[in-house]
Amino acid sequence: MVRRLVSLFAAAALALPCAAQFAASGESLRGDVYDEWMGVYHPYQRLERADVRAPKGYKAFYISHIGRHGSRYPVSASYVGNGLGPLLAADSLGLLSEDGKHLMHCFKQLDSVSQGTYGLINDLGAWEHKEIASRMAARFPAVFRQKDRDSVACYSTHKQRAILSMTNFAAALASAAPGLNIGFVAGEKYYDYLCREDKAAPGLKGGSRLADRAMEEFFDFDGFYGRIFISPEAASRVVRSRRLLAETCVANGTVAAYLGYPELMHFMTPEEFETAARVYNAKMYYQHCGGAEQGEWRMHIMDPLVLDFVEKADAAVAGNNIAADLRFSHDVGLMPFFSLIDLEGYDAHVTFDKACGVWNSSYMMPMATNLQLVFYRGRKGDVLVRVLFNEGDASFPALGPGPYYPWEQLRSYLLSKLS
């Protein structure tokens, strides 16, 4: 599942003229449009870059981390119902074509395999977090072999997929470094600074309106619905949103693919899939990455998480027994957080129609996306922080190329981002 990422967000390949942002290009960095545009449902992709070693005399002593949950089943039955519902209604009225009945069967199959597991991580999601943890332990053994720092603190939202990701991560870490004392906490209290999507919900409707307009302009609804229903007029009797049924074939189809049922995703032609996925990508950017139309309010909802990073790091630098603070959250918490701190790849704040030219969530927010800030102490007591995004060296462009920054500089920078 893990493929080499040629550049952090492949801007050169995605930088189409504004008018063509949502039109299928017919090209892919990997030669597979379906894989290229899986978006936020793409299985984890490790960022493979040349490893930048710490300056001589610096030793890693603390890691501050946040990660998205791993690959999962569909988030809810109602989400699959965005596709299954209208198809069942059409079938009851005799409005489905043979292709439409096949698509309905694909949704039924996804719903069936997800019963009792909606919203939970699957085996792939568990494996993703175990592998990330194992590599962390192998890469920074000194962090987890300190007599005076023998504890790891794990924090999770109350969502089961985040809790299960946390426990799989911790289990692998404990296996690699058996002397650790690992503590766990989870609950709505932690959701209130690790994710906070509920604070943003009232202001996100504009993304759907922009997505509707883009789909009407660029997506071939006649061809798509012409294959599903016996007539275009039939579709209007059961489909409440022309965009939503196409979007759910992308969103649920990508999940179905890594669950072993690729037919749902491949029901769409490459051109249909790419266009709908580009629009969905732009919608996610607009809603959660501080798009230009939104202003800064969406990003600043994550101010408490910035403070949490600074406060916990200050405590570690001052001297405590914590080797690592590990946080487990969701894409809708990480996207605004990364945008707020202008992490590399999230530092462009553009309009909806330009989003796909600077940001592809297949690379920038796959399942199990993570940020690791690794703290090193020098012989004179000074502290450097290494920035790792999806395990590859990254930067804060405003502070220079990185990946190493003096903690006092990075600390001041992070605090300057608060409203």
Side-chain angles (χ1 to χ4, degrees):
M1 291 292 181
V2 180
R3 295 172 172 84
R4 180 171 179 81
L5 181 54
V6 178
S7 66
L8 187 58
F9 48 91
L14 303 177
L16 303 176
C18 292
Q21 282 290 310
F22 308 115
S25 67
E27 299 177 356
S28 167
L29 294 180
R30 303 188 182 101
D32 182 352
V33 165
Y34 296 101
D35 186 64
E36 179 79 12
W37 289 100
M38 273 187 169
V40 295
Y41 305 103
H42 200 296
Y44 180 62
Q45 302 192 93
R46 183 183 178 190
L47 176 57
E48 297 183 6
R49 283 181 165 178
D51 204 42
V52 182
R53 300 187 66 174
K56 187 176 181 179
Y58 285 85
K59 183 178 179 180
F61 69 93
Y62 168 70
I63 298 174
S64 188
H65 153 281
I66 190 166
R68 183 189 180 191
H69 61 76
S71 295
R72 57 159 172 77
Y73 289 89
V75 68
S76 67
S78 62
Y79 201 57
V80 173
N82 287 335
L84 184 56
L87 293 172
L88 288 172
D91 187 50
S92 70
L93 297 173
L95 302 179
L96 287 183
S97 66
E98 287 303 312
D99 279 348
K101 291 178 181 179
H102 175 68
L103 180 60
M104 180 179 66
H105 170 74
C106 290
F107 272 103
K108 283 183 175 181
Q109 197 173 37
L110 179 60
D111 176 63
S112 177
V113 76
S114 302
Q115 288 299 318
T117 55
Y118 270 111
L120 303 184
I121 62 170
N122 61 0
D123 290 344
L124 174 60
W127 177 84
E128 289 166 343
H129 277 281
K130 288 177 180 177
E131 289 293 296
I132 295 168
S134 296
R135 288 191 293 266
M136 178 187 285
R139 194 175 192 181
F140 305 108
V143 172
F144 303 107
R145 295 176 184 172
Q146 303 175 85
K147 291 182 179 179
D148 57 344
R149 286 182 190 271
D150 61 353
S151 296
V152 171
C154 299
Y155 307 86
S156 172
T157 72
H158 61 293
K159 303 289 187 179
Q160 286 185 332
R161 55 189 172 275
I163 295 172
L164 291 171
S165 296
M166 173 178 68
T167 53
N168 278 280
F169 191 108
L173 188 59
S175 178
L180 293 174
N181 296 311
I182 303 179
F184 303 89
V185 291
E188 294 184 20
K189 171 183 177 180
Y190 302 99
Y191 177 91
D192 197 44
Y193 72 88
L194 290 173
C195 188
R196 298 171 66 82
E197 184 190 16
D198 57 325
K199 306 292 190 298
L204 301 182
K205 295 180 179 179
S208 294
R209 291 193 292 269
L210 289 170
D212 284 337
R213 295 172 191 169
M215 287 288 282
E216 289 297 334
E217 182 173 357
F218 294 104
F219 188 77
D220 180 14
F221 280 113
D222 289 340
F224 179 64
Y225 283 124
R227 299 200 314 276
I228 299 172
F229 301 99
I230 60 174
S231 70
E233 294 75 21
S236 65
R237 295 174 58 182
V238 293
V239 176
R240 60 184 177 87
S241 167
R242 275 161 61 91
R243 177 214 13 119
L244 188 58
L245 182 55
E247 181 181 291
T248 199
C249 285
V250 171
N252 286 299
T254 54
V255 173
Y258 66 66
L259 289 175
Y261 303 94
E263 281 187 285
L264 176 53
M265 181 170 69
H266 289 93
F267 177 84
M268 304 182 89
T269 67
E271 293 75 19
E272 290 168 349
F273 183 86
E274 183 180 354
T275 299
R278 282 179 177 272
V279 173
Y280 187 62
N281 182 76
K283 187 179 81 165
M284 295 297 286
Y285 179 91
Y286 169 93
Q287 291 181 327
H288 303 296
C289 292
E293 299 98 333
Q294 290 275 58
E296 296 187 348
W297 71 269
R298 176 66 180 103
M299 298 184 296
H300 281 300
I301 287 175
M302 300 311 297
D303 281 3
L305 184 55
V306 176
L307 284 173
D308 183 70
F309 264 79
V310 172
E311 291 170 359
K312 285 184 169 62
D314 279 345
V317 170
N320 61 15
N321 69 337
I322 302 297
D325 285 302
L326 309 175
R327 307 165 183 85
F328 297 85
S329 184
H330 309 265
D331 57 346
V332 291
L334 269 61
M335 286 185 283
F337 173 60
F338 293 162
S339 299
L340 174 60
I341 61 177
D342 282 331
L343 180 67
E344 182 183 355
Y346 282 84
D347 51 314
H349 301 283
V350 301
T351 55
F352 177 94
D353 63 327
K354 296 180 181 179
C356 293
V358 299
W359 191 80
N360 181 341
S361 51
S362 294
Y363 302 121
M364 301 308 300
M365 190 49 62
M367 297 291 188
T369 288
N370 59 91
L371 172 68
Q372 301 174 27
L373 301 182
V374 186
F375 286 65
Y376 294 74
R377 198 183 301 276
R379 291 169 181 166
K380 296 181 180 180
D382 59 316
V383 175
L384 291 180
V385 183
R386 182 181 184 179
V387 182
L388 296 173
F389 174 74
N390 288 350
E391 304 177 81
D393 282 307
S395 70
F396 293 102
L399 297 180
Y404 293 91
Y405 302 97
W407 169 233
E408 286 304 318
Q409 180 192 28
L410 180 56
R411 183 182 188 279
S412 296
Y413 172 77
L414 292 175
L415 291 176
S416 74
K417 293 297 182 178
L418 302 178
S419 57

